[in-house]
């Protein structure tokens, strides 16, 4: 079956979320004179990300609100459970300013989008919110590259649930068999896309994370994507790309 469109994840696929998160948190802790409290910047980031992942998972499961999960992340990270919502929002907003200052697109993204522009339609499926991701894509100069932007918060269902991928395919007006999905998470992105009937492409930028889910295609840089999509990769053995 011919692939006619590519759906993309955003964070750590198109945009260096981990790098921006690390830089933003480090600058926030320095500004708040909290840097020494958490040991090294690496230790601080590991704690922040663990707290973020846990509270986001609860939110994705329908527990609480988008703003509420942000507030709870701040309270836990600072060990201030009695912090008011306004105080937590203000702290998070200050962090976001530092985080935004570090936004950058991976260097292989624009060349890949250019190489694929003629032959494929493009859209985005993100587990975040439109209010969060639309301005980000615009600030990064990428929003006009995508016909549709589908986000879990507004959709009411998130990856790896098949319904999220199918909703994004529906927004493109294409069956899942004609759509590829590119994301950095082997389970949430690659396995989820595969199980929903899309061609699953896992971008493992750091390498060495294993082969990924069976039936998904692993690449280490986006310059490998045009060659992969040009082949019929939905059936039979894996492609030659690891």
């Amino acid at each position: 079956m011919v692939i006619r469109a590519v759906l993309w994840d955003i964070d750590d696929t198109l945009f260096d979320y981990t790098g921006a998160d690390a830089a933003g948190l480090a600058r926030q802790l320095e500004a708040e004179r909290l840097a020494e409290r958490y040991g090294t910047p690496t230790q601080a980031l590991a704690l922040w990300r663990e707290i973020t992942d846990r509270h986001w998972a609860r939110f994705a499961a329908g527990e609480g609100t988008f703003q509420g999960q942000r507030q709870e992340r701040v309270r836990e990270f600072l060990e201030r459970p009695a912090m008011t919502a306004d105080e937590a929002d203000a702290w998070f907003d200050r962090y976001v300013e530092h985080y935004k200052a570090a936004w950058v697109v991976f260097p292989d993204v624009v060349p890949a989008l250019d190489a694929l522009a003629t032959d494929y339609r493009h859209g985005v499926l993100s587990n975040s919110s439109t209010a969060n991701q639309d301005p980000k894509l615009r600030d990064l100069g990428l929003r006009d590259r995508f016909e549709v932007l589908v986000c879990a918060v507004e959709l009411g269902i998130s990856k790896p649930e098949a319904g999220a991928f199918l909703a994004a395919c529906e927004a493109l007006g294409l069956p899942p068999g004609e759509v590829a999905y590119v994301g950095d998470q082997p389970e949430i992105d690659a396995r989820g896309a595969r199980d929903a009937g899309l061609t699953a492409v896992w971008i493992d930028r750091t390498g060495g994370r294993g082969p990924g889910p069976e039936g998904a295609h692993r690449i280490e840089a986006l310059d490998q994507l045009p060659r992969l999509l040009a082949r019929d990769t939905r059936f039979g053995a894996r492609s030659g790309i690891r």
Side-chain angles (χ1 to χ4, degrees), residues 1-5 120 169 174-180 196-199 217 228-236:
M1 190 175 293
V2 176
I3 302 300
R4 302 187 185 281
Y120 303 94
C169 291
L174 292 173
E178 296 182 1
V179 180
L198 289 75
T199 292
H217 304 278
L228 174 64
L229 294 180
R231 301 173 59 183
D232 182 359
T233 57
R234 285 187 45 78
F235 305 104

Side-chain angles (χ1 to χ4, degrees), residues 8-21 99-109 132-133 136-137 140 142 184 205 222:
W8 298 81
D9 174 54
I10 298 177
D11 296 342
D12 282 331
T13 297
L14 300 172
F15 151 71
D16 186 4
Y17 170 75
T18 294
D21 196 25
Y99 160 68
K100 282 184 174 181
W103 281 2
V104 64
V105 173
F106 286 111
D108 59 356
V109 169
N132 211 32
Q133 300 293 49
K136 181 189 294 178
L137 290 173
L140 294 170
L142 296 178
D184 70 294
R205 291 186 180 278
L222 291 179

Side-chain angles (χ1 to χ4, degrees), residues 20-34:
D21 196 25
L25 182 64
R27 292 169 187 168
Q28 170 70 347
L29 294 180
E30 187 68 30
E32 304 274 331
R33 298 184 179 180
L34 294 171

